[in-house]
PDB file of all heavy atoms in Angstrom:
ATOM      1  N   GLN B 351      -2.255  -6.151 -16.431  1.00  0.00           N
ATOM      2  CA  GLN B 351      -2.044  -4.761 -16.600  1.00  0.00           C
ATOM      3  C   GLN B 351      -1.173  -4.455 -17.731  1.00  0.00           C
ATOM      4  O   GLN B 351      -1.323  -3.200 -18.225  1.00  0.00           O
ATOM      5  CB  GLN B 351      -1.337  -4.304 -15.156  1.00  0.00           C
ATOM      6  CG  GLN B 351      -2.025  -4.281 -14.005  1.00  0.00           C
ATOM      7  CD  GLN B 351      -1.230  -3.911 -12.786  1.00  0.00           C
ATOM      8  OE1 GLN B 351      -0.269  -3.127 -12.891  1.00  0.00           O
ATOM      9  NE2 GLN B 351      -1.544  -4.449 -11.665  1.00  0.00           N
ATOM     10  N   THR B 352      -0.370  -5.208 -18.010  1.00  0.00           N
ATOM     11  CA  THR B 352       0.764  -4.892 -18.980  1.00  0.00           C
ATOM     12  C   THR B 352       0.835  -5.831 -20.257  1.00  0.00           C
ATOM     13  O   THR B 352       1.943  -6.028 -20.773  1.00  0.00           O
ATOM     14  CB  THR B 352       2.125  -4.721 -18.364  1.00  0.00           C
ATOM     15  OG1 THR B 352       2.381  -5.842 -17.679  1.00  0.00           O
ATOM     16  CG2 THR B 352       2.156  -3.541 -17.472  1.00  0.00           C
ATOM     17  N   GLY B 353      -0.253  -6.599 -20.587  1.00  0.00           N
ATOM     18  CA  GLY B 353      -0.040  -7.582 -21.684  1.00  0.00           C
ATOM     19  C   GLY B 353       0.227  -6.985 -22.923  1.00  0.00           C
ATOM     20  O   GLY B 353      -0.157  -5.808 -23.237  1.00  0.00           O
ATOM     21  N   THR B 354       0.837  -7.829 -23.830  1.00  0.00           N
ATOM     22  CA  THR B 354       1.083  -7.342 -25.258  1.00  0.00           C
ATOM     23  C   THR B 354       0.173  -8.101 -26.110  1.00  0.00           C
ATOM     24  O   THR B 354      -0.405  -9.054 -25.803  1.00  0.00           O
ATOM     25  CB  THR B 354       2.567  -7.690 -25.622  1.00  0.00           C
ATOM     26  OG1 THR B 354       2.726  -9.054 -25.657  1.00  0.00           O
ATOM     27  CG2 THR B 354       3.472  -6.983 -24.732  1.00  0.00           C
ATOM     28  N   LYS B 355       0.178  -7.649 -27.491  1.00  0.00           N
ATOM     29  CA  LYS B 355      -0.656  -8.297 -28.384  1.00  0.00           C
ATOM     30  C   LYS B 355      -0.412  -9.801 -28.532  1.00  0.00           C
ATOM     31  O   LYS B 355      -1.288 -10.707 -28.611  1.00  0.00           O
ATOM     32  CB  LYS B 355      -0.427  -7.712 -29.823  1.00  0.00           C
ATOM     33  CG  LYS B 355      -1.246  -6.391 -29.962  1.00  0.00           C
ATOM     34  CD  LYS B 355      -1.570  -6.272 -31.519  1.00  0.00           C
ATOM     35  CE  LYS B 355      -2.399  -4.921 -31.784  1.00  0.00           C
ATOM     36  NZ  LYS B 355      -3.698  -4.786 -31.308  1.00  0.00           N
ATOM     37  N   GLU B 356       0.880 -10.117 -28.439  1.00  0.00           N
ATOM     38  CA  GLU B 356       1.236 -11.560 -28.513  1.00  0.00           C
ATOM     39  C   GLU B 356       0.743 -12.329 -27.330  1.00  0.00           C
ATOM     40  O   GLU B 356       0.296 -13.441 -27.437  1.00  0.00           O
ATOM     41  CB  GLU B 356       2.855 -11.609 -28.652  1.00  0.00           C
ATOM     42  CG  GLU B 356       3.490 -10.959 -29.814  1.00  0.00           C
ATOM     43  CD  GLU B 356       3.589  -9.545 -29.700  1.00  0.00           C
ATOM     44  OE1 GLU B 356       4.051  -8.941 -28.643  1.00  0.00           O
ATOM     45  OE2 GLU B 356       3.203  -8.756 -30.558  1.00  0.00           O
ATOM     46  N   ASP B 357       0.902 -11.688 -26.083  1.00  0.00           N
ATOM     47  CA  ASP B 357       0.493 -12.287 -24.968  1.00  0.00           C
ATOM     48  C   ASP B 357      -1.019 -12.597 -25.012  1.00  0.00           C
ATOM     49  O   ASP B 357      -1.483 -13.792 -24.668  1.00  0.00           O
ATOM     50  CB  ASP B 357       0.617 -11.400 -23.740  1.00  0.00           C
ATOM     51  CG  ASP B 357       2.068 -11.203 -23.409  1.00  0.00           C
ATOM     52  OD1 ASP B 357       2.916 -11.980 -23.745  1.00  0.00           O
ATOM     53  OD2 ASP B 357       2.316 -10.138 -22.694  1.00  0.00           O
ATOM     54  N   TYR B 358      -1.795 -11.616 -25.540  1.00  0.00           N
ATOM     55  CA  TYR B 358      -3.303 -11.904 -25.667  1.00  0.00           C
ATOM     56  C   TYR B 358      -3.621 -13.028 -26.589  1.00  0.00           C
ATOM     57  O   TYR B 358      -4.504 -13.779 -26.484  1.00  0.00           O
ATOM     58  CB  TYR B 358      -3.997 -10.681 -25.787  1.00  0.00           C
ATOM     59  CG  TYR B 358      -4.054  -9.671 -24.584  1.00  0.00           C
ATOM     60  CD1 TYR B 358      -3.418  -8.529 -24.646  1.00  0.00           C
ATOM     61  CD2 TYR B 358      -4.560 -10.189 -23.409  1.00  0.00           C
ATOM     62  CE1 TYR B 358      -3.335  -7.779 -23.426  1.00  0.00           C
ATOM     63  CE2 TYR B 358      -4.529  -9.396 -22.290  1.00  0.00           C
ATOM     64  CZ  TYR B 358      -3.889  -8.122 -22.185  1.00  0.00           C
ATOM     65  OH  TYR B 358      -3.841  -7.273 -21.106  1.00  0.00           O
ATOM     66  N   ALA B 359      -2.851 -13.024 -27.662  1.00  0.00           N
ATOM     67  CA  ALA B 359      -3.062 -14.035 -28.709  1.00  0.00           C
ATOM     68  C   ALA B 359      -2.795 -15.480 -28.034  1.00  0.00           C
ATOM     69  O   ALA B 359      -3.479 -16.426 -28.353  1.00  0.00           O
ATOM     70  CB  ALA B 359      -2.149 -13.803 -29.865  1.00  0.00           C
ATOM     71  N   GLU B 360      -1.758 -15.473 -27.342  1.00  0.00           N
ATOM     72  CA  GLU B 360      -1.482 -16.856 -26.676  1.00  0.00           C
ATOM     73  C   GLU B 360      -2.555 -17.240 -25.679  1.00  0.00           C
ATOM     74  O   GLU B 360      -2.969 -18.331 -25.619  1.00  0.00           O
ATOM     75  CB  GLU B 360      -0.030 -16.694 -25.994  1.00  0.00           C
ATOM     76  CG  GLU B 360       0.387 -17.885 -25.186  1.00  0.00           C
ATOM     77  CD  GLU B 360       0.574 -19.145 -26.008  1.00  0.00           C
ATOM     78  OE1 GLU B 360       0.575 -19.103 -27.253  1.00  0.00           O
ATOM     79  OE2 GLU B 360       0.872 -20.225 -25.305  1.00  0.00           O
ATOM     80  N   LEU B 361      -3.081 -16.205 -24.867  1.00  0.00           N
ATOM     81  CA  LEU B 361      -4.022 -16.421 -23.880  1.00  0.00           C
ATOM     82  C   LEU B 361      -5.247 -16.953 -24.691  1.00  0.00           C
ATOM     83  O   LEU B 361      -5.973 -17.917 -24.292  1.00  0.00           O
ATOM     84  CB  LEU B 361      -4.401 -15.210 -23.221  1.00  0.00           C
ATOM     85  CG  LEU B 361      -3.461 -14.929 -21.990  1.00  0.00           C
ATOM     86  CD1 LEU B 361      -3.915 -13.685 -21.372  1.00  0.00           C
ATOM     87  CD2 LEU B 361      -3.619 -15.972 -20.948  1.00  0.00           C
ATOM     88  N   GLU B 362      -5.637 -16.459 -25.811  1.00  0.00           N
ATOM     89  CA  GLU B 362      -6.809 -16.800 -26.493  1.00  0.00           C
ATOM     90  C   GLU B 362      -6.695 -18.217 -27.095  1.00  0.00           C
ATOM     91  O   GLU B 362      -7.485 -19.047 -26.950  1.00  0.00           O
ATOM     92  CB  GLU B 362      -7.105 -15.877 -27.735  1.00  0.00           C
ATOM     93  CG  GLU B 362      -8.339 -16.336 -28.531  1.00  0.00           C
ATOM     94  CD  GLU B 362      -8.696 -15.538 -29.726  1.00  0.00           C
ATOM     95  OE1 GLU B 362      -7.864 -15.295 -30.496  1.00  0.00           O
ATOM     96  OE2 GLU B 362      -9.847 -15.102 -29.648  1.00  0.00           O
ATOM     97  N   ARG B 363      -5.387 -18.530 -27.410  1.00  0.00           N
ATOM     98  CA  ARG B 363      -5.131 -19.897 -27.859  1.00  0.00           C
ATOM     99  C   ARG B 363      -5.378 -21.003 -26.891  1.00  0.00           C
ATOM    100  O   ARG B 363      -5.799 -21.985 -27.076  1.00  0.00           O
ATOM    101  CB  ARG B 363      -3.739 -19.966 -28.472  1.00  0.00           C
ATOM    102  CG  ARG B 363      -3.363 -21.144 -29.457  1.00  0.00           C
ATOM    103  CD  ARG B 363      -1.940 -21.132 -29.838  1.00  0.00           C
ATOM    104  NE  ARG B 363      -0.976 -21.351 -28.772  1.00  0.00           N
ATOM    105  CZ  ARG B 363      -0.797 -22.477 -28.152  1.00  0.00           C
ATOM    106  NH1 ARG B 363      -1.306 -23.544 -28.492  1.00  0.00           N
ATOM    107  NH2 ARG B 363       0.055 -22.493 -27.095  1.00  0.00           N
ATOM    108  N   ILE B 364      -4.905 -20.705 -25.680  1.00  0.00           N
ATOM    109  CA  ILE B 364      -4.890 -21.721 -24.504  1.00  0.00           C
ATOM    110  C   ILE B 364      -6.123 -21.737 -23.648  1.00  0.00           C
ATOM    111  O   ILE B 364      -6.327 -22.647 -22.978  1.00  0.00           O
ATOM    112  CB  ILE B 364      -3.665 -21.666 -23.891  1.00  0.00           C
ATOM    113  CG1 ILE B 364      -3.486 -20.368 -23.062  1.00  0.00           C
ATOM    114  CG2 ILE B 364      -2.302 -21.976 -24.665  1.00  0.00           C
ATOM    115  CD1 ILE B 364      -2.371 -20.327 -22.127  1.00  0.00           C
ATOM    116  N   SER B 365      -7.008 -20.695 -23.903  1.00  0.00           N
ATOM    117  CA  SER B 365      -8.134 -20.621 -22.898  1.00  0.00           C
ATOM    118  C   SER B 365      -9.463 -21.256 -23.697  1.00  0.00           C
ATOM    119  O   SER B 365      -9.452 -21.357 -24.953  1.00  0.00           O
ATOM    120  CB  SER B 365      -8.437 -19.247 -22.387  1.00  0.00           C
ATOM    121  OG  SER B 365      -8.577 -18.397 -23.495  1.00  0.00           O
ATOM    122  N   ASP B 366     -10.313 -21.558 -22.703  1.00  0.00           N
ATOM    123  CA  ASP B 366     -11.651 -22.119 -23.274  1.00  0.00           C
ATOM    124  C   ASP B 366     -12.487 -21.115 -23.961  1.00  0.00           C
ATOM    125  O   ASP B 366     -12.357 -19.904 -23.644  1.00  0.00           O
ATOM    126  CB  ASP B 366     -12.420 -22.718 -22.086  1.00  0.00           C
ATOM    127  CG  ASP B 366     -11.687 -23.869 -21.270  1.00  0.00           C
ATOM    128  OD1 ASP B 366     -10.966 -24.578 -22.100  1.00  0.00           O
ATOM    129  OD2 ASP B 366     -11.874 -24.050 -20.196  1.00  0.00           O
ATOM    130  N   PRO B 367     -13.265 -21.568 -24.920  1.00  0.00           N
ATOM    131  CA  PRO B 367     -14.220 -20.519 -25.521  1.00  0.00           C
ATOM    132  C   PRO B 367     -15.058 -19.786 -24.461  1.00  0.00           C
ATOM    133  O   PRO B 367     -15.462 -20.355 -23.517  1.00  0.00           O
ATOM    134  CB  PRO B 367     -15.171 -21.367 -26.410  1.00  0.00           C
ATOM    135  CG  PRO B 367     -14.381 -22.705 -26.648  1.00  0.00           C
ATOM    136  CD  PRO B 367     -13.568 -22.836 -25.367  1.00  0.00           C
ATOM    137  N   GLY B 368     -15.278 -18.516 -24.743  1.00  0.00           N
ATOM    138  CA  GLY B 368     -16.212 -17.712 -23.851  1.00  0.00           C
ATOM    139  C   GLY B 368     -15.252 -17.097 -22.658  1.00  0.00           C
ATOM    140  O   GLY B 368     -15.847 -16.354 -21.789  1.00  0.00           O
ATOM    141  N   THR B 369     -14.118 -17.332 -22.640  1.00  0.00           N
ATOM    142  CA  THR B 369     -13.272 -16.655 -21.573  1.00  0.00           C
ATOM    143  C   THR B 369     -13.130 -15.138 -21.879  1.00  0.00           C
ATOM    144  O   THR B 369     -12.878 -14.747 -23.020  1.00  0.00           O
ATOM    145  CB  THR B 369     -11.861 -17.401 -21.517  1.00  0.00           C
ATOM    146  OG1 THR B 369     -12.004 -18.735 -21.322  1.00  0.00           O
ATOM    147  CG2 THR B 369     -10.995 -16.709 -20.341  1.00  0.00           C
ATOM    148  N   ILE B 370     -13.191 -14.317 -20.939  1.00  0.00           N
ATOM    149  CA  ILE B 370     -13.091 -12.940 -21.011  1.00  0.00           C
ATOM    150  C   ILE B 370     -11.663 -12.629 -21.001  1.00  0.00           C
ATOM    151  O   ILE B 370     -10.980 -12.924 -19.932  1.00  0.00           O
ATOM    152  CB  ILE B 370     -13.964 -12.095 -19.970  1.00  0.00           C
ATOM    153  CG1 ILE B 370     -15.425 -12.462 -20.083  1.00  0.00           C
ATOM    154  CG2 ILE B 370     -13.705 -10.667 -20.067  1.00  0.00           C
ATOM    155  CD1 ILE B 370     -16.255 -11.925 -18.910  1.00  0.00           C
ATOM    156  N   LEU B 371     -11.145 -11.892 -21.896  1.00  0.00           N
ATOM    157  CA  LEU B 371      -9.753 -11.429 -21.877  1.00  0.00           C
ATOM    158  C   LEU B 371      -9.878  -9.879 -21.699  1.00  0.00           C
ATOM    159  O   LEU B 371     -10.639  -9.151 -22.356  1.00  0.00           O
ATOM    160  CB  LEU B 371      -8.902 -11.650 -23.125  1.00  0.00           C
ATOM    161  CG  LEU B 371      -8.920 -13.065 -23.610  1.00  0.00           C
ATOM    162  CD1 LEU B 371      -7.995 -13.313 -24.842  1.00  0.00           C
ATOM    163  CD2 LEU B 371      -8.398 -14.073 -22.524  1.00  0.00           C
ATOM    164  N   VAL B 372      -8.965  -9.399 -20.741  1.00  0.00           N
ATOM    165  CA  VAL B 372      -9.170  -7.821 -20.482  1.00  0.00           C
ATOM    166  C   VAL B 372      -7.784  -7.307 -20.255  1.00  0.00           C
ATOM    167  O   VAL B 372      -6.987  -7.828 -19.556  1.00  0.00           O
ATOM    168  CB  VAL B 372     -10.155  -7.568 -19.332  1.00  0.00           C
ATOM    169  CG1 VAL B 372      -9.900  -8.227 -18.097  1.00  0.00           C
ATOM    170  CG2 VAL B 372     -10.380  -6.028 -19.082  1.00  0.00           C
ATOM    171  N   ASP B 373      -7.567  -6.040 -20.842  1.00  0.00           N
ATOM    172  CA  ASP B 373      -6.317  -5.333 -20.534  1.00  0.00           C
ATOM    173  C   ASP B 373      -6.609  -4.089 -19.698  1.00  0.00           C
ATOM    174  O   ASP B 373      -7.523  -3.385 -19.917  1.00  0.00           O
ATOM    175  CB  ASP B 373      -5.752  -4.945 -21.952  1.00  0.00           C
ATOM    176  CG  ASP B 373      -4.513  -4.094 -21.845  1.00  0.00           C
ATOM    177  OD1 ASP B 373      -3.479  -4.738 -21.368  1.00  0.00           O
ATOM    178  OD2 ASP B 373      -4.403  -2.967 -22.207  1.00  0.00           O
TER     179      ASP B 373
END
Side-chain angles (χ1 to χ4, degrees):
Chain B
Q351 288 176 30
T352 56
T354 62
K355 278 207 184 288
E356 300 77 48
D357 293 339
Y358 289 115
E360 174 67 7
L361 277 176
E362 181 176 53
R363 196 182 67 74
I364 61 176
S365 56
D366 295 332
T369 305
I370 298 170
L371 305 183
V372 56
D373 178 65

